[in-house]
Amino acid sequence: MLDIDPTGILVRYNVKLESELTPDEIAREFFPSDILLRNIVEAVFEGDEDEVIFALKEAVSVGKDPISLIDDALMVGMDIVSQLYEDGDLFLPDVMISSHAMTDGIEYCKQISGKAHEFKGTVVSYVVEGDIHDIGKKILTVLLKSNGYEVIDLGSDVPTDEVISAVLKYRPIMITGTSLMTTTMYSFMEVNNRLLENDIMIPLVCGGGAVTQDFVMNYDLGIYCEDAAIVPKIADLILKNKNIQEIREQFHVH
């Protein structure tokens, strides 16, 4: 996985302020030197699904391992897209288009290799019961996938029983729930309590227009999410065995 240093990007901004780097120019500084990998990364960045498959076929034809190409090229391309989105240089449609291209590439690599790609972890994502507004869920789902996580997307207007059933089935490292309306956000309490009843102590990441930090802090498992871009960072901290209180402190909104 590519570790992009935002500070480094900002330094480049400062050095070349007069010409105002375009997103393409910024991205190209992080493309790999290997031309076969570079072609795949660039195709993901451009969101060109056909070109992704063509570039993958070319790489495989000369001996590149399909499963290795997922981490070495497909995920690298999405890392760059995600970083530029977080920095405000790209927008949600850009991320969505690149995500589709990456997903097609992953499926192709899995198909021709006959092997399963290993995800960093599994996350269950949903919109609370009574709420059909799913734009927030779509954003964080894309960002989680682009950072190497498997997302079990339960959709919108999801009953608590369905959330708990998914948790018992897939054993995720965390749950992400969104709510736009004040009248629906109280179902977070039901999910929180049912998890505790089942001795499942995984973070319940809550966000959406109606949700506040003070509200989420009332729940034992609740972590407030103000911006979808921090969701993959929360997941990464969970993999580093950070507990709920430590994660809360790191992302506390003052």
Side-chain angles (χ1 to χ4, degrees):
M1 300 293 289
L2 184 68
D3 183 16
I4 300 173
D5 178 10
T7 304
I9 294 177
L10 290 175
V11 168
R12 292 179 180 85
Y13 284 156
N14 292 333
V15 169
K16 203 174 178 184
L17 273 178
E18 290 182 5
S19 61
E20 295 184 355
L21 290 175
T22 67
D24 281 356
E25 289 173 324
I26 299 169
R28 290 181 191 285
E29 295 190 32
F30 298 103
F31 287 175
S33 56
D34 183 316
I35 187 61
L36 294 170
L37 298 181
R38 185 184 183 89
N39 289 341
I40 300 168
V41 170
E42 183 172 6
V44 171
F45 179 78
E46 298 292 342
D48 190 330
E49 298 172 22
D50 292 337
E51 187 61 30
V52 165
I53 302 303
F54 178 83
L56 286 170
K57 287 181 177 178
E58 187 178 29
V60 171
S61 71
V62 296
K64 297 283 190 182
D65 175 59
I67 293 299
S68 295
L69 289 173
I70 295 176
D71 287 331
D72 296 343
L74 294 171
M75 298 302 296
V76 170
M78 274 310 303
D79 280 344
I80 295 171
V81 172
S82 297
Q83 184 63 58
L84 267 62
Y85 170 72
E86 187 173 339
D87 291 342
D89 296 296
L90 293 178
F91 302 96
L92 180 58
D94 302 310
V95 180
M96 299 289 284
I97 292 170
S98 291
S99 177
H100 290 313
M102 176 199 68
T103 301
D104 282 1
I106 290 175
E107 290 305 314
Y108 173 76
C109 289
K110 288 163 58 178
Q111 178 184 346
I112 64 173
S113 71
K115 301 176 184 177
H117 172 59
E118 291 188 12
F119 294 99
K120 291 164 67 175
T122 300
V123 178
V124 166
S125 181
Y126 77 107
V127 179
V128 298
E129 186 171 11
D131 199 330
I132 61 171
H133 304 91
D134 66 350
I135 185 63
K137 176 183 64 62
K138 286 181 178 178
I139 296 172
L140 63 86
T141 296
V142 168
L143 294 176
L144 283 166
K145 286 182 177 180
S146 69
N147 280 274
Y149 291 93
E150 178 184 30
V151 181
I152 308 301
D153 187 346
L154 302 182
S156 305
D157 188 16
V158 183
T160 297
D161 285 346
E162 189 174 334
V163 177
I164 301 304
S165 294
V167 170
L168 293 172
K169 178 179 180 180
Y170 296 104
R171 300 293 177 180
I173 63 170
M174 72 177 186
I175 306 170
T176 64
T178 58
S179 171
L180 186 67
M181 302 181 295
T182 305
T183 53
T184 62
M185 67 182 187
Y186 292 95
S187 70
F188 287 137
M189 177 179 64
E190 298 175 13
V191 173
N192 179 85
N193 292 345
R194 289 283 298 280
L195 290 171
L196 294 176
E197 288 170 7
N198 285 274
D199 294 320
I200 301 173
M201 305 298 291
I202 61 173
L204 173 59
V205 180
C206 307
V211 182
T212 66
Q213 182 170 261
D214 289 342
F215 176 78
V216 175
M217 294 288 280
N218 290 322
Y219 304 135
D220 293 336
L221 306 177
I223 295 176
Y224 175 62
C225 176
E226 185 179 40
D227 185 343
I230 72 171
V231 175
K233 298 177 182 179
I234 292 174
D236 289 344
L237 288 178
I238 293 170
L239 294 184
K240 294 177 181 178
N241 296 317
K242 298 294 184 181
N243 61 42
I244 291 173
Q245 186 55 41
E246 289 173 320
I247 297 172
R248 281 178 172 177
E249 291 172 357
Q250 179 151 343
F251 295 104
H252 183 80
V253 180
H254 300 283

